[in-house]
Amino acid sequence: MKPVRSLARAMLSGIFVVSGVRNFANPDRLVAAAQPVTERVTPLLERAHPRIPTDTETLVRANAVVQLGAGLMLATGKFTRPAALVLAGTLVPVTIAGHPFWTNDDPAMKANNQIHFLKNLGLFGGLLLAAADTEGKPGLRWRTGHRIGHSRRSVQRAVRTARREARIAVRSAATARRLPG
């Protein structure tokens, strides 16, 4: 199954790697579309840290770098689950800014944006699956529950052993008192 996973991850990450490179090299073409989203995000960024750049072009480039880096991690199989989550996170503002079909009056433009919106929604679903994929190995939740169950059984065994040894000690003491000495 590993070759299928590797191929699927490479295919899923391709769009992010290519668009990350393109958008970093040429952010100007996206600035106008990204402006409404960045205007809403800017106050949050300024509250988080006052020195974070908040101009739209820089935010577009930052998103491009994140998509490129996380896309490469997903494609190469390094930190695939966190990379998929990061890509899913970057896809939300990109989709809202880039394909707002609900604002289009032109039917052709509305249909085009609707198709791209749904395409991104499908990518989002694929990224969520990639983020949840444990490659057939137990996930953290299962391992934690298993470890807790194992610890609980160990404690129960220790308690039973201690009780048994205490009973034996009591019998030995009682036997020792009965013996003439």
Side-chain angles (χ1 to χ4, degrees), residues 109-123:
M109 190 70 158
K110 184 174 189 150
N112 185 41
N113 274 332
Q114 206 168 28
I115 287 169
H116 286 291
F117 184 91
L118 292 172
K119 172 207 41 127
N120 284 5
L121 195 61
L123 285 171

Side-chain angles (χ1 to χ4, degrees), residues 74-93:
L74 184 63
T76 58
K78 304 293 181 199
F79 303 108
T80 55
R81 295 175 73 191
L85 278 176
V86 166
L87 288 172
T90 65
L91 197 56
V92 172

Side-chain angles (χ1 to χ4, degrees), residues 53-139:
T54 56
D55 63 291
T56 304
E57 182 178 330
T58 303
L59 292 175
V60 168
R61 282 190 177 198
N63 191 59
V65 168
V66 170
Q67 285 187 339
L68 174 63
L72 288 172
M73 284 194 286
L74 184 63
T76 58
K78 304 293 181 199
F79 303 108
T80 55
R81 295 175 73 191
L85 278 176
V86 166
L87 288 172
T90 65
L91 197 56
V92 172
V94 167
T95 303
I96 291 170
H99 308 295
F101 66 89
W102 52 91
T103 63
N104 296 121
D105 294 329
D106 178 24
M109 190 70 158
K110 184 174 189 150
N112 185 41
N113 274 332
Q114 206 168 28
I115 287 169
H116 286 291
F117 184 91
L118 292 172
K119 172 207 41 127
N120 284 5
L121 195 61
L123 285 171
F124 189 80
L127 289 168
L128 290 180
L129 284 173
D133 182 27
T134 60
E135 297 184 35
K137 299 173 190 163

Side-chain angles (χ1 to χ4, degrees), residues 3-171:
V4 173
R5 276 190 177 91
S6 297
L7 180 62
R9 285 184 184 137
M11 292 167 66
L12 182 58
S13 67
I15 185 72
F16 298 102
V17 172
V18 171
S19 65
V21 169
R22 282 185 185 160
N23 296 342
F24 183 78
N26 186 15
D28 298 332
R29 63 187 182 82
L30 302 172
V31 168
Q35 190 78 39
V37 174
T38 59
E39 285 175 357
R40 289 185 171 197
V41 172
T42 297
L44 298 172
L45 292 174
E46 287 173 344
R47 267 188 256 138
H49 199 283
R51 288 187 288 203
I52 293 177
T54 56
D55 63 291
T56 304
E57 182 178 330
T58 303
L59 292 175
V60 168
R61 282 190 177 198
N63 191 59
V65 168
V66 170
Q67 285 187 339
L68 174 63
L72 288 172
M73 284 194 286
L74 184 63
T76 58
K78 304 293 181 199
F79 303 108
T80 55
R81 295 175 73 191
L85 278 176
V86 166
L87 288 172
T90 65
L91 197 56
V92 172
V94 167
T95 303
I96 291 170
H99 308 295
F101 66 89
W102 52 91
T103 63
N104 296 121
D105 294 329
D106 178 24
M109 190 70 158
K110 184 174 189 150
N112 185 41
N113 274 332
Q114 206 168 28
I115 287 169
H116 286 291
F117 184 91
L118 292 172
K119 172 207 41 127
N120 284 5
L121 195 61
L123 285 171
F124 189 80
L127 289 168
L128 290 180
L129 284 173
D133 182 27
T134 60
E135 297 184 35
K137 299 173 190 163
L140 184 60
R141 184 173 138 201
W142 183 89
R143 288 186 306 210
T144 302
H146 183 73
R147 179 55 51 203
I148 289 169
H150 183 273
S151 298
R152 187 177 295 139
R153 287 188 299 277
S154 294
V155 167
Q156 288 170 345
R157 246 182 271 124
V159 167
R160 281 194 306 266
T161 302
R163 284 180 183 161
R164 187 177 324 113
E165 289 177 0
R167 281 193 303 268
I168 292 170
V170 167
R171 280 187 217 134

